[in-house]
Amino acid sequence: MITGFNTDVEYRGQIFHVQTEDKGVDNPFIESLIYKGGEILGSRRLPYSEILANGYDEKAVVKLMEEQHRKMIREIKKGRFDKPGGILND
C-alpha cells in the first residue's frame, strides 16, 4: 500500500483538506476525501483492478493518485463547495 497525499487548500478564506489514499491490492481503489471543519464534503473512489491484471505497477497507481488528488483540489478552486449541498460523491 502506498502512502497517501494530504493537502490543505485555502479558498475564499476557508480551509479545505484533501486526503487521497490507496486502499491496497486486496481492495484496489484510490479514495479521495474533501473535509472542511472535520466534516466530509465529498468523496471519490477510483478502482484500479485493471492495473493488477498484468502485475502490480506502483508507479501507475501513484500517477492515478496524483491525478485524482489534483482533480479534487481543482473542484474546490472552481467553487464546487461554495454553497450548502455542494457535496461530491463519485
Side-chain angles (χ1 to χ4, degrees):
M1 188 163 34
I2 301 165
T3 303
F5 303 105
N6 289 284
T7 304
D8 287 334
V9 179
E10 185 175 350
Y11 175 73
R12 294 191 175 179
Q14 299 180 65
I15 301 294
F16 296 83
H17 182 77
V18 181
Q19 175 182 323
T20 300
E21 57 186 25
D22 169 28
K23 294 299 186 176
V25 294
D26 293 333
N27 198 10
F29 68 89
I30 295 163
E31 180 178 56
S32 294
L33 301 170
I34 295 177
Y35 296 88
K36 185 175 93 177
E39 177 184 0
I40 296 174
L41 299 180
S43 66
R44 180 169 286 145
R45 288 183 172 191
L46 176 67
Y48 65 86
S49 54
E50 71 281 352
I51 291 176
L52 298 176
N54 296 324
Y56 181 72
D57 183 349
E58 184 174 308
K59 288 181 182 181
V61 173
V62 169
K63 183 179 177 185
L64 290 173
M65 290 175 68
E66 289 171 344
E67 289 171 0
Q68 181 162 297
H69 194 77
R70 284 192 302 267
K71 285 178 187 177
M72 299 296 273
I73 291 169
R74 282 194 300 271
E75 292 286 336
I76 293 168
K77 292 181 177 183
K78 286 181 180 177
R80 178 84 183 259
F81 303 97
D82 284 358
K83 300 176 185 165
I87 295 177
L88 171 70
N89 289 303
D90 292 345

